[in-house]
């Protein structure tokens, strides 16, 4: 599985934090959403890391399905 697109929405809060919504789409068109609150994070780098983590999880899930586990 590979993530082919990612969109990031940012919602600044009065506290200075930023609520973040990531929307990742894989090569089959499946969509995955992740919400989190950024406090001093590099949002772009964190979202890229999340996309990589998601690809790894999806690959492991696909392998388990193929192996019947």
């Amino acid at each position: 599985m590979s993530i082919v697109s990612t969109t990031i929405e940012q919602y600044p809060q009065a506290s200075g934090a930023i609520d973040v919504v990531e929307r990742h789409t894989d090569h089959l068109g499946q969509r995955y959403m992740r919400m989190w609150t950024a406090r001093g994070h590099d949002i772009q780098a964190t979202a890229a890391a999340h996309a990589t983590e998601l690809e790894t999880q999806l690959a492991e899930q696909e392998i388990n399905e193929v192996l019947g586990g």
Side-chain angles (χ1 to χ4, degrees):
M1 294 289 203
S2 61
I3 300 300
V4 296
S5 76
T6 297
T7 59
I8 302 168
E9 300 169 19
Q10 300 179 38
Y11 302 97
Q13 303 301 306
S15 66
I18 300 172
D19 287 341
V20 179
V21 178
E22 301 173 19
R23 299 180 195 281
H24 304 281
T25 304
D26 69 16
H27 68 287
L28 298 175
Q30 295 291 324
R31 295 183 181 181
Y32 308 89
M33 184 173 66
R34 184 172 188 163
M35 298 183 304
W36 55 284
T37 300
R39 292 181 178 87
H41 295 86
D42 180 334
I43 293 172
Q44 297 295 327
T46 303
H50 290 161
T52 300
E53 291 171 9
L54 180 57
E55 284 182 332
T56 300
Q57 291 170 357
L58 293 172
E60 290 172 357
Q61 180 181 353
E62 188 174 21
I63 290 169
N64 287 335
E65 289 173 1
V66 168
L67 295 177

